[in-house]
Amino acid sequence: SGKFMVFYVPFRGPYLKYSKLDVKRLSIRNGKDSVFGAVVSTDSFVFDTIAPNRLMGEALTVIPKCDPKNFWLLCHVVYDSMYYRNNSGRILVFDYSNNRLKFHSQLIIPQTYYENFLTVNSAGSIIHFDRSLYQFDKVTGNLTFWKNLASDSCDFTWSAMWSSDGKRLFRTEGYNNKYGVYQYDIENISSLMGRILITETNSERVMQLGPDKKIYLATENQPYLSEI
């Protein structure tokens, strides 16, 4: 249909905004140039008693249900320190069905940084956030803590990405002002899932799985991307 939903959270405030975009709609025509794409509707969801004192929470992710028009929306929120590890973080689960967003549940999570990514495997069943893994049931929407991947040589994580088959997890880790990209094997039964260093880097790296099934990593002040 050419329509997409865009969800986002403002810097502060206990609410979440969402807009419907029509990428086929002509929005600007100026001489030879034409720009397509327009916001056709905007709404917001107020957390109210769910997260009334929310300070921050940038991480959002969507997990489709069996029907691609209906899905689960997961949102991370914190309540005290915005910039340091805090003990008040939660992951909120919302149900988006029949063009309506409603609150489903929330899970209090271990001490986290606010700047992290909710990264979901291809099956939509395992979620990585900060230094932990969570199991997600796409039928019921239930989210449960599964495994802590915090090692003694990992102060924090930044970006993470799953391989296309969902069996390997890659993430940027920092320790004593040093950075590296590490690999985890989801089928490895050891406590840290066979954690191995892939490469050292000079800063944090954001990564993204491409359509060619390669994982691309951002570089600092360079006109190219790295790849796994």
Side-chain angles (χ1 to χ4, degrees):
S1 64
K3 293 183 174 63
F4 295 85
M5 295 297 300
V6 176
F7 293 86
Y8 58 99
V9 284
F11 182 73
R12 292 176 180 267
Y15 57 93
L16 181 151
K17 288 184 173 291
Y18 53 103
S19 301
K20 182 178 289 187
L21 306 181
D22 186 348
V23 298
K24 295 183 178 180
R25 178 178 292 189
L26 178 63
S27 57
I28 299 176
R29 176 170 286 169
N30 182 10
K32 296 181 179 180
D33 297 325
S34 297
V35 178
F36 289 84
V39 176
V40 295
S41 65
T42 299
D43 206 343
S44 62
F45 184 94
V46 180
F47 293 155
D48 291 330
T49 57
I50 302 169
N53 299 314
R54 167 189 169 269
L55 285 178
M56 181 64 71
E58 296 181 330
L60 285 171
T61 193
V62 167
I63 301 177
K65 298 181 181 180
C66 296
D67 180 352
K69 293 184 178 180
N70 299 319
F71 45 83
W72 302 103
L73 177 72
L74 280 67
C75 175
H76 169 240
V77 298
V78 298
Y79 299 92
D80 48 32
S81 170
M82 294 190 295
Y83 302 105
Y84 302 99
R85 285 200 172 274
N86 63 82
N87 294 297
S88 63
R90 303 182 186 187
I91 297 178
L92 309 182
V93 181
F94 296 89
D95 181 352
Y96 186 84
S97 301
N98 302 316
N99 296 316
R100 183 187 176 197
L101 184 70
K102 62 181 179 180
F103 174 71
H104 176 272
S105 58
Q106 62 180 323
L107 178 69
I108 298 175
I109 58 179
Q111 188 183 54
T112 63
Y113 283 121
Y114 84 91
E115 288 184 321
N116 272 284
F117 297 80
L118 284 161
T119 309
V120 188
N121 68 345
S122 56
S125 58
I126 304 176
I127 297 171
H128 174 269
F129 182 72
D130 193 43
R131 299 184 295 177
S132 300
L133 294 176
Y134 300 84
Q135 292 179 323
F136 186 73
D137 188 324
K138 292 199 298 182
V139 176
T140 64
N142 291 332
L143 179 70
T144 55
F145 176 81
W146 178 33
K147 198 173 185 66
N148 186 354
L149 293 180
S151 70
D152 293 337
S153 60
C154 175
D155 286 334
F156 67 91
T157 67
W158 185 248
S159 178
M161 187 56 55
W162 294 92
S163 60
S164 59
D165 59 7
K167 294 182 179 180
R168 291 172 297 161
L169 174 72
F170 300 89
R171 73 180 187 185
T172 301
E173 300 180 5
Y175 179 70
N176 282 346
N177 294 319
K178 295 181 180 180
Y179 306 92
V181 177
Y182 289 80
Q183 174 186 295
Y184 295 82
D185 182 354
I186 202 67
E187 296 179 341
N188 191 308
I189 62 174
S190 66
S191 60
L192 288 178
M193 294 183 167
R195 174 179 181 257
I196 58 173
L197 175 65
I198 298 298
T199 183
E200 295 180 346
T201 65
N202 59 358
S203 65
E204 301 95 336
R205 290 286 182 263
V206 176
M207 56 188 76
Q208 178 66 51
L209 180 66
D212 56 1
K213 300 183 179 181
K214 294 181 180 179
I215 295 176
Y216 291 91
L217 290 81
T219 56
E220 185 175 13
N221 300 323
Q222 298 295 331
Y224 58 81
L225 296 175
S226 298
E227 68 177 46
I228 298 176

